[in-house]
């Protein structure tokens, strides 16, 4: 977390949390969701539409700031710490979206490198990685490299049902549907 963010939390510890305004899609892209967008429906899942997705964030410095200050609370709700305010993130898939590079180096959509501990595949053929920093979906553009890792026996996919993933890996896809209790002070 950025030092300036920690200072803002200390100065204003009781700023209300924000829900529904930020989404992370299955390709690791951030979307801003204003009131009208939220009224159009959920970010992901049943009832989600193009209109309910929001505006793709393209400003590099803003995206970098969000990604540096992105983490989870104790209940598995992922948020962006925006100064003193937590902006809880609606997840289209998982908390992380993995990019796989030549040599099978793995990094999160945030740019954080990760070590693969386990590979999973769901009923729709989507591939997930459980890593030392957390759980996420592999970006669709990197499936050929995943295939190479599987063929080489480096990653052995375990079957999983997508509906079981949030509970199994401890994350909440829609914090807006399950808001966190009121908090105060600097996060631990």
């Amino acid at each position: 977390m950025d030092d300036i963010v920690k200072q803002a939390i200390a100065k204003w510890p009781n700023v209300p949390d924000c829900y529904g305004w930020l989404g992370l899609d299955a390709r690791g892209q951030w979307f801003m969701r204003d009131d009208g967008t939220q009224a159009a429906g959920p970010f992901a899942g049943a009832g989600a539409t193009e209109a309910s997705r929001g505006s793709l964030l393209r400003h590099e410095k803003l995206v970098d700031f969000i990604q540096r200050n992105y983490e989870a609370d104790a209940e598995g709700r992922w948020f962006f710490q925006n100064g003193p305010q937590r902006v809880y993130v609606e997840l289209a898939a998982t908390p992380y979206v993995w990019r796989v590079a030549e040599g099978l180096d793995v990094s999160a959509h945030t740019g954080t490198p990760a070590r693969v501990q386990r590979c999973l595949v769901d009923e729709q053929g989507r591939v997930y990685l459980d890593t030392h920093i957390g759980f996420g979906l592999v970006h669709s553009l990197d499936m050929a490299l995943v295939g190479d890792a599987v063929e080489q026996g480096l990653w052995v996919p375990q079957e999983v049902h997508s509906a079981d993933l949030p509970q199994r890996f401890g994350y909440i896809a829609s914090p807006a549907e399950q808001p966190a209790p009121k908090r105060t002070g600097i996060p631990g």
Side-chain angles (χ1 to χ4, degrees):
M1 187 180 300
D2 289 359
D3 284 338
I4 194 167
V5 171
K6 291 177 186 174
Q7 292 168 10
I9 294 169
K11 189 171 182 177
W12 300 289
N14 298 315
V15 173
D17 297 332
C18 179
Y19 293 90
W21 284 81
L22 187 62
L24 178 68
D25 76 359
R27 296 175 75 81
Q29 300 176 111
W30 297 99
F31 287 81
M32 186 64 65
R33 305 179 69 240
D34 63 16
D35 284 330
T37 301
Q38 291 178 55
F43 180 69
T49 65
E50 193 65 34
S52 67
R53 175 156 281 191
S55 300
L56 176 64
L57 294 179
R58 297 183 187 273
H59 191 280
E60 273 186 53
K61 290 186 184 207
L62 175 58
V63 169
D64 289 345
F65 181 64
I66 291 170
Q67 293 183 161
R68 283 193 318 271
N69 296 286
Y70 176 63
E71 57 188 69
D73 67 14
E75 289 81 30
R77 294 169 185 86
W78 284 79
F79 63 91
F80 151 55
Q81 189 71 48
N82 183 25
Q85 183 175 54
R86 283 187 180 178
V87 178
Y88 282 91
V89 178
E90 297 293 299
L91 304 173
T94 57
Y96 289 111
V97 176
W98 303 118
R99 296 308 313 254
V100 181
E102 293 293 330
L104 304 179
D105 292 325
V106 174
S107 61
H109 67 280
T110 61
T112 306
R115 288 185 313 277
V116 175
Q117 298 172 331
R118 181 173 26 188
C119 178
L120 301 105
V121 63
D122 73 9
E123 66 278 2
Q124 296 178 37
R126 292 177 294 199
V127 177
Y128 305 86
L129 300 176
D130 187 18
T131 75
H132 81 288
I133 65 167
F135 179 76
L137 176 69
V138 173
H139 194 290
S140 60
L141 293 177
D142 299 335
M143 293 308 295
L145 291 167
V146 170
D148 293 344
V150 170
E151 284 180 0
Q152 294 171 35
L154 300 173
W155 298 347
V156 179
Q158 301 170 12
E159 290 186 16
V160 66
H161 293 284
S162 60
D164 298 337
L165 295 174
Q167 183 174 1
R168 182 172 174 183
F169 292 97
Y171 66 92
I172 295 173
S174 180
E177 293 176 8
Q178 299 177 359
K182 186 177 179 183
R183 66 177 177 84
T184 59
I186 298 174

